[in-house]
Amino acid sequence: MEKIVIVGAGLVGSLQAIIMAKKGFKVEVFERRQDIRSANISAGRSINLALSNRGWKALELAGIKEEVEEEAIPMYARKIHDEKGDLTDQPYGLEGEAIFSVSRGGLNQLLIREADKFENVNFHFEMKCEDLDLETNELLFTDKDGKELKVKADRIIATDGAFSAVRARMQKTDRFNYQQMYLEHGYKELTIPPAEDGGFRIEKNFLHIWPRGSYMLIALPNADGSFTCTLFFPFEGKYSFESLKTKEDMLSFFKDVFPDAIEHMPTLETDYFENPTSSLVTVRCSPWNHEDKLIMMGDASHAIVPFYGQGMNSGFEDCSVFNELFEKHNGDWSKVIPEFSEKRKPDADAIADLALHNFIEMRDKVADPSFLLRKKIEKRMLEEHPNEWMPLYSQVTFSHIPYSQALAAGKKQAKIMDEIMCRADIEDKWDSQEIRDQIIALLKAQ
Amino acid sequence: MEKIVIVGAGLVGSLQAIIMAKKGFKVEVFERRQDIRSANISAGRSINLALSNRGWKALELAGIKEEVEEEAIPMYARKIHDEKGDLTDQPYGLEGEAIFSVSRGGLNQLLIREADKFENVNFHFEMKCEDLDLETNELLFTDKDGKELKVKADRIIATDGAFSAVRARMQKTDRFNYQQMYLEHGYKELTIPPAEDGGFRIEKNFLHIWPRGSYMLIALPNADGSFTCTLFFPFEGKYSFESLKTKEDMLSFFKDVFPDAIEHMPTLETDYFENPTSSLVTVRCSPWNHEDKLIMMGDASHAIVPFYGQGMNSGFEDCSVFNELFEKHNGDWSKVIPEFSEKRKPDADAIADLALHNFIEMRDKVADPSFLLRKKIEKRMLEEHPNEWMPLYSQVTFSHIPYSQALAAGKKQAKIMDEIMCRADIEDKWDSQEIRDQIIALLKAQ
């Protein structure tokens, strides 16, 4: 039985462990941190996760979809809060379509529990990957006392995240392309606690956004009635983490720009000053593999910013795509590993670009009535002409169309919608068959 | 007296040592390799260097311009060899303007010799930089026996090249942007030895190019009558390092495509099969500094491909720009170091882009009569209207205009020349005042 070493027991690593265990491999999972099942789930720096179709598909493959569904909270629309506290809804898709708020820590615990049920899976926590011999496929780990352990693997699957130790080793190999690019914005976790009766202080089944042009606040619901809020804010500049340093400045700023949020944030001061400010990185690299011996997946090979809600979903989709290739090639690693690297890389690049772009959409464009009208027209197209027009957001979120194809289709759609929005009568006629016929005509003319 | 540690005694590091020594600092230079003054200059993987105005300026600042001039061989034009062996000249600039072929090893030896003349400069060879504490500015080196040495510096200047250890440490700091990108082409050094009488087998004062579309061979003269040739060739594909594996295939390929070169290459077979195949990387990062304590220069912060002949020149210009800022701020490090990083980065990005683009020009466009005509028109513009039109190549090579400005001006010029080249009568009228007047008019209309 071949031995597979998985480096990193995060979301993707533990899901991949289940998938490989089901195929009968001996799976050894090494994780730098302590066992999240017995640890306090690290608070203060987890953006809540929005699970959507690509993620669900992989969870189904691993046989744990139902269990996750029990905890997940559907969000059917963006709830946009303007500066006066007025609200606008922008549905994500068709009636009943939703993305699902889940807790990263809770989901990770569940995945490890499920993987650990397999006799052929072993977890090793507090084991830091220090080095890797690419010739022999031997990994060097140190435990929490600094004791060294060498582990030889038939195959290595590296799922050790955006700051991957395995990738750092790969970076030293000749002709390894690599890029890490940080945003000039950071983020900070804040909280809206449950109401006194245990209910939700703001509407439950929405992803709340306070878009403010160059920055924004968002809130995602948790099962306990609270919301995890995230402030995305410049590191430097007039309004920035650097400039808001005193309690007075910070509170006065929040009162001005997030008036209907601050009333629900009794712990704001503590949260703001005690939670860390974290940075946002996009990582791209190639190749993702070393021969047929090592493959990198998830954030290790393609970390993205969180604004399309696709970080976890793309990582989970790695697992299902990998599984499909494994089935297609009857487990021939010499085909599976290089093909996965080559096939999946353009899709990872596409969702990285889309995620960067969506930051502008979320923090700025959703506050623009013309943008919301455009989205309404696109939604009507989807309802009336589902075979001809699936909006980009739906392709990314509610379909399994490869990200790179979605991006290409989205660019074509954007051109058409630019033209449509130039019509002088668009506000009157937006929901007319005439407009939809013109869109179809433009689509056919492309 | 402040202690400056320079990491890397390559071209930029040893030149910077001279400049800092002249200011009276205690300068400690640590180099991973052995002393190049006593070593065999590493053959088989040095692209010859083309020194031009930016490099000369820095050498003059260091007081060693005359000494370098003695060994440098002027190249006034590209000598383009077509597949039949027919030759075309394409001058680099005005009458008398040239770029200069120098040996990397020889120049490096000279720079270290000159730096070592200062009492306040010490060189430490075979010392590998293993780690760096950014809090304390303490470096950890190991010598060739693995013995550790800790060195604390007031300021660190990292000039340790494209695979910089200092940059690897910087890469782990939060919000450090980094990119390494390899070409799909590699290169291999080949040789045209001196003629039997000690003279040059092909014309001396030229940079010879055999442009062949997707690949090329070049040759630069050496003082001993030989030429250092470099084959730039795809790693993989129909004609590639991978495909040319047997002696027969290789020789038959060279006979077909480089017929007038192979007759001068008696050692081709040994050179081709024994010299290494090297890769070509572009490195970009930011910031280049850590507070006012550490600065990266040369390839360590901006390695580029060699096709504009500006790798060394841009590194040397780092030294003169740094010197200018140092004078401007009267040695106030808290201003010099951050300003250097910020000011110089856009210029490094510009020359990186220009160098990538020039590969296509050298291997492909110079074989196109229309491209050569365009260059002739631009040269006549420079001769007749020097205040209005300096071709991009001249700006980069023969001026001290910041690279980013040159790139911007070059883009405007390219648009104008595209329009001019569309004239049906361009082949007849190319050297007319009418054409030049139209160019001036287009320039003013921009």
Side-chain angles (χ1 to χ4, degrees):
Chain A
M1 192 162 55
E2 277 207 335
K3 183 163 86 177
I4 294 175
V5 170
I6 295 180
V7 184
L11 295 171
V12 177
S14 42
L15 179 61
Q16 184 69 3
I18 295 171
I19 291 168
M20 298 317 290
K22 282 188 162 186
K23 298 190 189 301
F25 291 104
K26 182 166 169 55
V27 181
E28 304 284 338
V29 188
F30 290 81
E31 165 60 42
R32 189 170 55 83
R33 278 172 277 219
Q34 61 183 125
D35 189 346
I36 197 172
R37 289 171 297 184
S38 53
N40 273 329
I41 291 174
S42 78
R45 53 189 307 163
S46 75
I47 299 175
N48 258 41
L49 300 170
L51 191 54
S52 54
N53 290 32
R54 294 172 201 260
W56 286 119
K57 182 178 173 183
L59 292 174
E60 190 167 24
L61 178 69
I64 53 175
K65 187 179 171 198
E66 286 70 26
E67 226 173 320
V68 178
E69 274 173 343
E70 284 169 26
E71 290 288 310
I73 301 174
M75 301 179 287
Y76 298 100
R78 291 172 174 159
K79 178 78 77 180
I80 297 154
H81 299 241
D82 75 11
E83 271 158 318
K84 293 180 219 139
D86 290 341
L87 303 176
T88 314
D89 290 0
Q90 189 223 320
Y92 280 121
L94 292 171
E95 185 76 31
E97 280 184 328
I99 61 177
F100 293 79
S101 178
V102 293
S103 134
R104 169 190 284 266
L107 183 55
N108 205 160
Q109 288 176 334
L110 170 65
L111 286 163
I112 293 176
R113 270 201 313 270
E114 291 299 319
D116 215 5
K117 286 179 186 167
F118 289 88
E119 281 194 4
N120 48 334
V121 174
N122 286 303
F123 281 89
H124 311 268
F125 293 96
E126 296 178 82
M127 297 295 281
K128 188 177 170 208
C129 179
E130 301 281 357
D131 203 2
L132 162 60
D133 185 332
L134 289 166
E135 286 296 308
T136 60
N137 238 32
E138 196 173 55
L139 293 135
L140 176 68
F141 295 97
T142 50
D143 71 11
K144 61 182 191 295
D145 304 316
K147 208 181 131 198
E148 295 191 343
L149 177 71
K150 284 191 176 168
V151 181
K152 205 168 148 70
D154 293 304
R155 316 289 158 185
I156 296 170
I157 299 178
T159 52
D160 51 344
F163 304 98
S164 169
V166 171
R167 193 190 62 231
R169 175 64 191 82
M170 286 286 282
Q171 197 192 308
K172 294 182 194 165
T173 59
D174 193 30
R175 297 173 66 207
F176 185 76
N177 294 309
Y178 177 69
Q179 184 183 40
Q180 61 184 43
M181 198 185 66
Y182 285 86
L183 291 192
E184 294 183 1
H185 291 69
Y187 71 90
K188 192 182 281 284
E189 187 175 312
L190 305 169
T191 309
I192 293 177
E196 292 195 358
D197 64 359
F200 290 85
R201 285 171 183 257
I202 56 177
E203 280 186 87
K204 175 182 177 184
N205 292 112
F206 293 89
L207 192 154
H208 294 264
I209 311 184
W210 290 259
R212 295 296 181 264
S214 64
Y215 53 91
M216 68 176 177
L217 178 71
I218 67 169
L220 280 79
N222 296 311
D224 67 356
S226 67
F227 284 82
T228 301
C229 306
T230 313
L231 173 67
F232 295 95
F233 206 43
F235 279 104
E236 285 142 32
K238 187 173 177 196
Y239 297 111
S240 67
F241 286 117
E242 191 185 59
S243 73
L244 293 190
K245 275 190 177 158
T246 68
K247 176 185 154 184
E248 290 69 29
D249 284 355
M250 187 276 288
L251 290 176
S252 127
F253 174 79
F254 267 75
K255 273 177 199 150
D256 272 4
V257 302
F258 305 125
D260 66 329
I262 192 171
E263 59 181 290
H264 299 300
M265 301 173 89
T267 58
L268 174 61
E269 201 186 316
T270 321
D271 291 347
Y272 186 89
F273 290 105
E274 295 191 359
N275 284 345
T277 305
S278 305
S279 53
L280 294 156
V281 70
T282 300
V283 168
R284 301 174 203 250
C285 65
S286 74
W288 293 1
N289 66 308
H290 181 71
E291 299 168 358
D292 61 353
K293 294 286 200 299
L294 181 154
I295 186 77
M296 301 187 286
M297 295 168 83
D299 285 357
S301 48
H302 55 96
I304 63 178
V305 293
F307 307 109
Y308 224 115
Q310 289 294 315
M312 169 182 63
N313 288 293
S314 66
F316 281 178
E317 193 177 54
D318 283 355
C319 299
S320 31
V321 169
F322 189 88
N323 187 64
E324 280 158 26
L325 290 174
F326 197 92
E327 301 296 317
K328 176 180 155 195
H329 294 300
N330 289 313
D332 180 345
W333 291 102
S334 73
K335 291 187 177 142
V336 177
I337 285 189
E339 191 172 322
F340 177 80
S341 172
E342 200 171 325
K343 175 192 167 79
R344 192 69 182 146
K345 160 82 176 154
D347 292 322
D349 283 337
I351 192 61
D353 290 341
L354 287 164
L356 287 165
H357 181 79
N358 227 42
F359 187 22
I360 303 163
E361 176 166 324
M362 283 180 84
R363 76 185 192 222
D364 195 5
K365 288 199 195 156
V366 295
D368 174 2
S370 155
F371 174 81
L372 295 176
L373 180 61
R374 184 175 170 133
K375 288 285 178 181
K376 277 157 75 178
I377 298 168
E378 284 204 68
K379 180 159 184 278
R380 292 290 294 125
M381 281 300 296
L382 175 62
E383 286 162 353
E384 299 294 328
H385 302 278
N387 295 325
E388 279 125 324
W389 192 277
M390 186 187 281
L392 176 57
Y393 188 89
S394 296
Q395 292 190 45
V396 170
T397 308
F398 302 121
S399 91
H400 303 285
I401 297 166
Y403 290 125
S404 54
Q405 282 180 35
L407 176 62
K411 281 181 182 165
K412 287 185 183 172
Q413 291 177 340
K415 271 193 192 158
I416 291 172
M417 290 307 296
D418 286 346
E419 195 169 334
I420 293 292
M421 295 305 290
C422 285
R423 283 181 63 139
D425 59 355
I426 192 65
E427 290 196 28
D428 297 327
K429 292 211 173 153
W430 73 270
D431 193 11
S432 66
Q433 195 56 43
E434 180 190 336
I435 292 288
R436 291 190 287 274
D437 287 343
Q438 191 189 347
I439 293 175
I440 299 287
L442 287 168
L443 203 53
K444 286 188 177 149
Q446 271 189 336
Chain B
M1 191 162 56
E2 277 206 336
K3 182 163 89 178
I4 294 176
V5 170
I6 295 179
V7 184
L11 296 170
V12 176
S14 42
L15 180 61
Q16 183 68 3
I18 296 172
I19 291 168
M20 298 319 289
K22 284 190 161 184
K23 298 190 190 301
F25 291 103
K26 183 166 168 53
V27 181
E28 304 283 340
V29 188
F30 291 82
E31 165 59 42
R32 188 170 56 83
R33 278 171 277 219
Q34 64 182 127
D35 189 346
I36 197 172
R37 290 170 296 183
S38 54
N40 274 328
I41 291 174
S42 77
R45 54 188 307 163
S46 75
I47 300 175
N48 258 41
L49 300 170
L51 192 54
S52 55
N53 290 32
R54 294 171 202 262
W56 285 119
K57 182 178 173 183
L59 292 174
E60 190 167 22
L61 179 69
I64 52 174
K65 188 179 171 197
E66 286 70 25
E67 224 171 321
V68 178
E69 274 173 345
E70 284 168 28
E71 290 288 312
I73 300 174
M75 300 179 287
Y76 298 99
R78 289 172 174 158
K79 178 77 78 180
I80 298 155
H81 299 241
D82 76 11
E83 270 159 318
K84 291 182 222 137
D86 290 340
L87 303 176
T88 313
D89 290 359
Q90 188 223 321
Y92 281 121
L94 292 171
E95 185 76 31
E97 281 184 328
I99 60 177
F100 292 79
S101 178
V102 293
S103 133
R104 169 188 285 265
L107 182 55
N108 205 160
Q109 288 175 333
L110 171 64
L111 285 163
I112 293 175
R113 269 201 315 270
E114 291 298 320
D116 215 5
K117 286 180 185 166
F118 289 87
E119 282 194 5
N120 48 334
V121 174
N122 286 304
F123 280 90
H124 311 268
F125 293 97
E126 296 178 83
M127 297 294 280
K128 188 177 171 208
C129 178
E130 301 281 357
D131 203 2
L132 162 61
D133 185 331
L134 289 166
E135 286 296 308
T136 60
N137 238 31
E138 197 172 56
L139 294 136
L140 175 68
F141 294 97
T142 50
D143 71 10
K144 61 182 190 295
D145 303 318
K147 208 182 129 197
E148 294 191 345
L149 177 71
K150 284 189 177 170
V151 181
K152 206 168 147 71
D154 293 305
R155 315 288 157 187
I156 296 170
I157 299 177
T159 51
D160 52 343
F163 303 99
S164 169
V166 171
R167 193 190 62 229
R169 174 64 191 82
M170 286 286 283
Q171 198 194 308
K172 293 182 193 164
T173 60
D174 193 29
R175 296 172 66 207
F176 185 77
N177 294 308
Y178 176 69
Q179 185 182 41
Q180 63 184 43
M181 198 185 66
Y182 285 85
L183 290 192
E184 293 182 3
H185 291 70
Y187 70 91
K188 193 182 280 284
E189 188 175 312
L190 305 168
T191 310
I192 294 177
E196 293 196 358
D197 64 0
F200 290 85
R201 287 172 182 256
I202 56 177
E203 280 185 88
K204 176 183 178 184
N205 293 112
F206 293 88
L207 192 153
H208 295 263
I209 310 182
W210 290 259
R212 295 296 180 265
S214 64
Y215 53 91
M216 68 175 175
L217 179 71
I218 66 169
L220 280 79
N222 296 312
D224 68 355
S226 68
F227 284 82
T228 300
C229 306
T230 313
L231 173 67
F232 294 96
F233 206 43
F235 278 104
E236 285 141 33
K238 189 174 176 195
Y239 297 111
S240 67
F241 286 117
E242 193 186 59
S243 74
L244 292 191
K245 275 190 177 157
T246 67
K247 177 185 153 184
E248 291 69 31
D249 285 354
M250 188 276 288
L251 289 175
S252 128
F253 174 78
F254 266 74
K255 271 177 201 152
D256 272 4
V257 300
F258 306 125
D260 66 330
I262 193 171
E263 59 181 292
H264 300 299
M265 302 173 88
T267 58
L268 174 61
E269 201 186 316
T270 320
D271 291 348
Y272 186 89
F273 290 105
E274 295 192 359
N275 284 345
T277 305
S278 305
S279 53
L280 294 156
V281 71
T282 300
V283 169
R284 302 174 203 249
C285 65
S286 76
W288 293 1
N289 65 308
H290 180 70
E291 300 169 357
D292 61 353
K293 295 286 199 299
L294 180 154
I295 186 77
M296 301 187 284
M297 294 166 85
D299 285 358
S301 48
H302 55 98
I304 63 178
V305 293
F307 307 108
Y308 224 114
Q310 288 293 315
M312 169 182 63
N313 288 293
S314 66
F316 281 178
E317 193 177 53
D318 283 354
C319 299
S320 31
V321 169
F322 190 88
N323 188 63
E324 280 157 26
L325 290 174
F326 198 91
E327 302 295 318
K328 175 180 156 194
H329 294 301
N330 289 314
D332 180 346
W333 291 102
S334 73
K335 291 186 178 142
V336 177
I337 285 188
E339 192 172 321
F340 178 80
S341 171
E342 201 171 324
K343 177 192 165 78
R344 191 69 181 146
K345 161 81 178 153
D347 292 322
D349 282 338
I351 192 61
D353 290 340
L354 286 164
L356 287 165
H357 181 79
N358 226 42
F359 187 22
I360 303 162
E361 177 166 323
M362 284 181 82
R363 75 184 193 223
D364 195 5
K365 288 198 195 157
V366 296
D368 173 2
S370 156
F371 174 82
L372 295 175
L373 180 61
R374 185 176 171 131
K375 289 283 178 182
K376 277 159 74 179
I377 298 169
E378 285 204 67
K379 181 162 184 275
R380 291 290 293 125
M381 281 300 296
L382 175 62
E383 285 162 354
E384 299 294 329
H385 303 278
N387 296 324
E388 279 126 321
W389 192 276
M390 186 186 280
L392 175 57
Y393 189 89
S394 296
Q395 292 190 46
V396 169
T397 307
F398 303 121
S399 92
H400 304 285
I401 296 166
Y403 290 125
S404 54
Q405 281 179 36
L407 176 61
K411 281 181 182 164
K412 287 185 183 172
Q413 291 176 342
K415 271 193 193 160
I416 291 172
M417 290 306 297
D418 286 347
E419 195 169 335
I420 293 292
M421 295 305 290
C422 285
R423 283 181 62 138
D425 58 357
I426 191 65
E427 289 195 29
D428 298 326
K429 291 210 174 154
W430 72 270
D431 193 11
S432 66
Q433 195 56 42
E434 180 189 335
I435 293 288
R436 290 190 288 274
D437 287 343
Q438 190 190 346
I439 292 174
I440 299 286
L442 287 169
L443 203 53
K444 286 186 178 149
Q446 270 189 338

